[in-house]
Amino acid sequence: GVISPNTSQLYNSGTVVPIKIIPNKDYTFSSWSGPVASTNSATTTVIISGPTTVTANLTGLPLLNAAIGTTKSGTANARLWSITLTNSGKGVAQSAKVDSLNLTQTFGAACTPVVKTSLPTMGDIAVGASATRNATIDFSTCAATARFTAVVTYSAVNGGGGSKTYVNQFR
């Protein structure tokens, strides 16, 4: 990140210096270490009383990505679709989960698939790690040739969520 103002500047004793941290895009502000007025605010002040060191403490953010497995299993009324969340960010994805799975039919006789189970909770996902869980979908009203666009939305309590669209998905 970048601390403002320039940290190499000299100040007279007793000067109140406003400071702020602008974290790089993959990080978030956690706290300050050193003699600041407010340790938990990204914008604060320092009263100079001699040589002073202040450190901005930053936390890496997660960056999640979703994938739907290419192999689906089970009967038409209890089809298992695997969903994988992968964290390629700078911090652990805390309490990662699939928020929604929306299916829009794009080919075949009209049908209405139903997601039968609660959407997967993945738990904490470490940096560079993945978690895979199944969603159970009832396709009993759909022909075997039916195709769908699937939109998966996902999140973690500390950020890094998003959505991914998959086209031409079969039941």
Side-chain angles (χ1 to χ4, degrees):
V2 176
I3 296 177
S4 176
N6 182 339
T7 57
S8 63
Q9 185 172 341
L10 296 175
Y11 295 95
N12 292 328
S13 184
T15 302
V16 176
V17 179
I19 60 171
K20 74 176 183 175
I21 179 69
I22 302 168
N24 291 342
K25 70 177 182 116
D26 296 337
Y27 295 86
T28 188
F29 172 78
S30 296
S31 65
W32 292 98
S33 298
V36 297
S38 178
T39 58
N40 295 320
S41 175
T43 301
T44 188
T45 59
V46 177
I47 299 175
I48 304 301
S49 61
T52 304
T53 299
V54 174
T55 303
N57 302 300
L58 305 176
T59 301
L61 293 172
L63 178 58
L64 292 172
N65 193 16
I68 293 177
T70 56
T71 303
K72 291 141 177 130
S73 63
T75 61
N77 69 340
R79 194 69 136 166
L80 297 178
W81 279 25
S82 66
I83 301 173
T84 301
L85 294 183
T86 301
N87 180 8
S88 62
K90 305 288 186 189
V92 173
Q94 299 170 354
S95 301
K97 65 180 181 166
V98 174
D99 297 311
S100 66
L101 171 60
N102 294 311
L103 299 170
T104 303
Q105 188 174 5
T106 58
F107 180 80
C111 67
T112 306
V114 177
V115 178
K116 291 177 65 173
T117 59
S118 297
L119 292 170
T121 298
M122 306 293 192
D124 293 349
I125 304 174
V127 173
S130 297
T132 301
R133 304 286 186 277
N134 289 325
T136 304
I137 304 169
D138 182 348
F139 285 104
S140 60
T141 64
C142 302
T145 56
R147 296 290 183 264
F148 304 88
T149 295
V151 179
V152 179
T153 59
Y154 46 90
S155 64
V157 296
N158 58 330
S163 68
K164 183 97 179 218
T165 301
Y166 290 88
V167 296
N168 202 31
Q169 294 294 302
F170 61 93
R171 67 176 206 179

